[in-house]
Amino acid sequence: MNDQLPQARWTHVALPVGDLDRAIDFYTALTPLVVVGRFADDAGQSAWLSNPGQYETPFVLVLVAFSRDSGRQLGLLTPFAHLGIEVPSRSEVDRIAELARELGCLHWEPQDVSEWVGYVCALRDPDGNVVEISHNQKVFETVRRLWAPAEGPGASGRLAE
């Protein structure tokens, strides 16, 4: 197994947090992310979260709790800027929205937006960042089709221009 990076790629988004444990609890309860690493040094602590088993195209949410910011609310992704997570069903959007409603962190009620946005709701993490939960959003599907392996003679593996 070769773990060397074969080409430049986008690997993570880093967000400052005021309470690392509280942020980890939020993301592991309301999203499909799991903790894949925790680190500490003189400046503070951090955690890496990713999808379980994501080997081929790992992408990580890095939560960083600097000691100097302990206890502060540090949200940067507001009021519309957000992290987007797509789930496989409308019922999963509804389930997450219901849990977020109970926890007092539902930001947008579930709604059908458009063909390209799909069925979405949004949450606010403990620092006030917006996290969108979607179903049937075209981001994942479009990018997969764009670079899908060619099938059959003359297939380009790219979307029509």
Side-chain angles (χ1 to χ4, degrees), residues 23-24 27-28 31 33-37 47-51 59-63:
I24 289 170
Y27 283 99
T28 58
T31 76
L33 303 178
V34 298
V35 176
V36 296
W48 294 357
L49 286 76
S50 189
N51 290 90
F59 191 79
V60 174
L61 173 60
V62 177
L63 302 175

Side-chain angles (χ1 to χ4, degrees), residues 67-146:
S67 299
R68 69 176 185 261
D69 295 326
S70 182
R72 293 180 48 211
Q73 190 176 38
L74 303 171
L76 300 171
L77 300 176
T78 64
F80 175 76
H82 60 270
L83 300 175
I85 296 175
E86 188 168 358
V87 297
S89 69
R90 286 176 69 97
S91 62
E92 184 70 0
V93 172
D94 291 335
R95 184 192 69 76
I96 292 169
E98 181 59 32
L99 180 55
R101 198 178 291 111
E102 291 170 11
L103 296 172
C105 62
L106 186 62
H107 182 56
W108 307 327
E109 286 289 337
Q111 57 193 291
D112 280 305
V113 177
S114 71
E115 176 185 355
W116 292 100
V117 176
Y119 186 62
V120 301
C121 74
L123 325 172
R124 281 201 180 274
D125 78 7
D127 285 276
N129 295 301
V130 177
V131 179
E132 178 191 78
I133 307 296
S134 68
H135 168 67
N136 202 27
Q137 192 167 83
K138 303 300 185 208
V139 175
F140 181 80
E141 174 187 326
T142 299
V143 172
R144 297 250 324 178
R145 278 190 290 127
L146 180 64

